[in-house]
């Protein structure tokens, strides 16, 4: 099996950072509690250079924050879009973006839940166990408006589900119990400063 899939297609080789990142600029990552994270995003209706530039910025921002995925509202933009660079449980790397993503409902007979740790760049420093389906199929479009279908299993499925939640105005804390949510926010308060120091070091390294 190929070791890298880009936009759902296998490739023979791929750089450590997606080429989009080299054209982008780092944007501020929004945090839980900010309004843009807690309402459904608007569908993208215009495909062109502005959208392409946003995707470039999102890739670079994701890398500087050590993320596996990033939605547009996590950089303060109210649009249905996310980028990803994420491995699955077999170690296969998946890289790409998807515009106006829709997560297909799965037949309960053909899925199982994996209860594993999950974090979020907008909840810096917190990690909580959260059950999610081990398979995901997301339909949407690429930056040029061409139809796109991305399938994932294991950790990559979790990434696709997590990022689709974001564009629907939901953060993973919303899927936790009240007690679990309080624990996640406690972790965030305790670790946030260290996370931001690491992000600043990453920005310096990538721009050096």
């Amino acid at each position: 099996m190929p070791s890298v899939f880009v936009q759902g297609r296998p490739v023979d080789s791929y750089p450590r950072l997606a080429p989009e990142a080299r054209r982008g600029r780092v944007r501020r990552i929004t945090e839980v509690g900010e309004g843009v994270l807690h309402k459904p995003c608007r569908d993208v209706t215009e495909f062109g250079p502005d959208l392409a530039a946003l995707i470039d910025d999102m890739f670079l921002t994701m890398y500087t924050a050590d993320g596996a995925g990033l939605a547009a509202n996590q950089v303060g933009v109210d649009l249905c879009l996310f980028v990803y660079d994420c491995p699955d449980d077999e170690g296969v790397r998946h890289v790409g973006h998807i515009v106006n993503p829709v997560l297909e409902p799965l037949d309960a007979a053909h899925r199982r839940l994996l209860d594993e740790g999950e974090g979020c760049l907008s909840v810096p420093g917190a990690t909580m166990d959260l059950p999610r389906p081990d398979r995901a199929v997301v339909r949407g479009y690429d930056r040029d408006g061409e139809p796109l279908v991305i399938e994932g299993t294991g950790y990559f499925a979790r990434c696709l589900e997590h990022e689709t939640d974001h564009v629907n105005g939901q953060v993973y804390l919303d899927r936790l119990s009240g007690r679990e949510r309080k624990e996640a926010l406690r972790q965030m308060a305790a670790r946030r400063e260290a996370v931001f120091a690491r992000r600043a070091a990453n920005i310096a390294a990538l721009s050096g």
Side-chain angles (χ1 to χ4, degrees):
M1 171 178 286
S3 60
V4 184
F5 282 76
V6 178
Q7 294 295 96
R9 298 185 179 92
V11 298
D12 293 331
S13 64
Y14 202 72
R16 184 175 68 87
L17 302 181
E20 290 92 337
R22 305 195 182 282
R23 301 188 295 263
R25 63 180 179 87
V26 178
R27 299 199 187 196
R28 175 185 171 272
I29 295 177
T30 54
E31 294 186 43
V32 62
E34 296 185 41
V36 71
L37 289 175
H38 302 284
K39 63 179 183 179
C41 294
R42 295 180 294 115
D43 280 350
V44 172
T45 57
E46 295 185 14
F47 296 80
D50 289 346
L51 179 65
L54 173 60
I55 291 170
D56 294 345
D57 292 353
M58 289 170 63
F59 266 107
L60 182 59
T61 304
M62 176 182 69
Y63 288 133
T64 60
D66 296 320
L70 186 72
N73 57 355
Q74 291 184 274
V75 293
V77 179
D78 175 25
L79 287 176
C80 279
L81 160 69
F82 67 81
V83 302
Y84 58 89
D85 189 338
C86 182
D88 61 26
D89 288 358
E90 283 69 51
V92 177
R93 181 184 176 194
H94 299 266
V95 187
H97 66 272
I98 188 162
V99 178
N100 298 340
V102 176
L103 188 66
E104 285 195 353
L106 297 178
D107 185 340
H110 296 94
R111 70 173 188 179
R112 65 189 179 102
L113 293 179
L114 296 179
D115 194 1
E116 297 178 344
E118 186 165 329
C120 179
L121 300 183
S122 293
V123 193
T127 304
M128 298 295 294
D129 286 346
L130 178 65
R132 287 204 189 258
D134 66 340
R135 179 173 174 269
V137 179
V138 177
R139 295 184 180 273
Y141 302 88
D142 68 13
R143 68 174 69 199
D144 299 314
E146 296 297 322
L148 190 62
V149 180
I150 302 297
E151 299 186 33
T153 58
Y155 185 66
F156 181 45
R158 180 176 295 273
C159 175
L160 293 174
E161 292 152 359
H162 179 110
E163 300 306 330
T164 304
D165 273 357
H166 270 305
V167 302
N168 291 324
Q170 188 170 49
V171 296
Y172 87 103
L173 299 188
D174 298 330
R175 295 186 176 273
L176 301 176
S177 68
R179 183 166 58 88
E180 291 168 333
R181 181 186 175 93
K182 286 181 180 178
E183 169 59 19
L185 293 175
R186 185 199 66 77
Q187 291 180 19
M188 175 179 163
R191 302 170 184 168
R192 182 176 180 274
E193 187 174 333
V195 169
F196 276 80
R198 191 163 61 248
R199 290 181 186 178
N202 288 342
I203 292 171
L206 285 172
S207 60

